[in-house]
Amino acid sequence: MTTLPERPRTALLVIDVQNGVMAGTPRRDDVIANINTLVGKARAEDVPVVWVQHADDGLVRDSENWQYVPELILRDAAEPLVHKNYGDSFEDTDLEQLLAERAVGRLIVTGAQTDVCIRSTIHSAFTRGYDVTLVADAHTTEDLTEYGAPAPEQVIAHTNLYWRYQSAPGREAAVVDATDVRFTAP
């Protein structure tokens, strides 16, 4: 139902599952395990997997914190790695071009930080015409309560709640558990 009809494929987007981002996040191991399962399923079904990796003053490129968690194995160029410096995975990156080259009009989104990179990317994708499915149990965020934010579990639950009811002409937003992910469009 995407507004990108010449792009019938689905891709799995794995955002910022890096050592420094995932350290201390709730359900870290479960989220990574769910992402790993989805990566395996996508590979088995010949679905593009696109990895996104953030860098900034707190995640210095090539540092240990910047590296992807060791539980997730990135493949060669067949699975592109998008480097970004902003929350939105599309902002000043080649993500849009990579998805167009693969005829992708539907995204299955996983990763971290729920309240920054996940939210900005799902909204950006949706406004660009993509159908966007957020995997409810495959994203997480750090505890920012000392800055006035809700507890991480509440941030995750709220994002799952409001994305489930997101709507726009010609596009579909959805929230599903990892076990219910289908890479073929409904």
Side-chain angles (χ1 to χ4, degrees):
M1 194 163 126
T2 174
T3 61
L4 306 168
E6 71 286 359
R7 299 189 192 181
R9 295 190 74 199
T10 299
L12 176 64
L13 194 60
V14 183
I15 302 172
D16 303 347
V17 188
Q18 298 161 249
N19 290 321
V21 178
M22 297 300 289
T25 59
R27 302 179 302 113
R28 177 202 181 275
D29 294 342
D30 292 338
V31 167
I32 292 170
N34 288 339
I35 293 170
N36 230 345
T37 298
L38 290 170
V39 168
K41 182 177 177 181
R43 288 173 177 162
E45 294 182 25
D46 197 31
V47 169
V49 177
V50 179
W51 305 85
V52 179
Q53 190 170 26
H54 190 84
D56 60 22
D57 292 342
L59 288 171
V60 177
R61 194 177 183 106
D62 298 322
S63 70
E64 183 62 27
N65 279 341
W66 177 81
Q67 300 296 327
Y68 248 77
V69 297
E71 297 94 329
L72 295 177
I73 307 299
L74 287 67
R75 286 197 177 160
D76 58 15
E79 293 181 357
L81 175 60
V82 174
H83 293 282
K84 70 179 181 69
N85 300 105
Y86 302 98
D88 177 0
S89 298
F90 289 92
E91 187 68 42
D92 198 28
T93 71
D94 60 352
L95 178 58
E96 174 62 31
Q97 177 184 338
L98 292 167
L99 295 173
E101 290 168 357
R102 289 158 178 76
V104 171
R106 180 173 173 256
L107 296 175
I108 308 293
V109 179
T110 65
Q113 298 262 72
T114 299
D115 47 349
V116 182
C117 301
I118 296 295
R119 283 186 183 177
S120 61
T121 299
I122 60 178
H123 284 281
S124 183
F126 204 60
T127 61
R128 291 169 192 269
Y130 292 89
D131 288 342
V132 180
T133 298
L134 178 62
V135 184
D137 53 357
H139 67 96
T140 189
T141 194
E142 69 181 315
D143 187 343
L144 298 173
T145 54
E146 68 181 275
Y147 302 104
E153 294 84 356
Q154 291 174 312
V155 171
I156 294 162
H158 179 253
T159 302
N160 288 339
L161 172 70
Y162 87 75
W163 195 253
R164 181 172 282 117
Y165 298 104
Q166 190 70 25
S167 64
R171 285 155 282 165
E172 185 174 289
V175 178
V176 299
D177 289 334
T179 57
D180 296 325
V181 168
R182 302 291 174 261
F183 289 115
T184 54

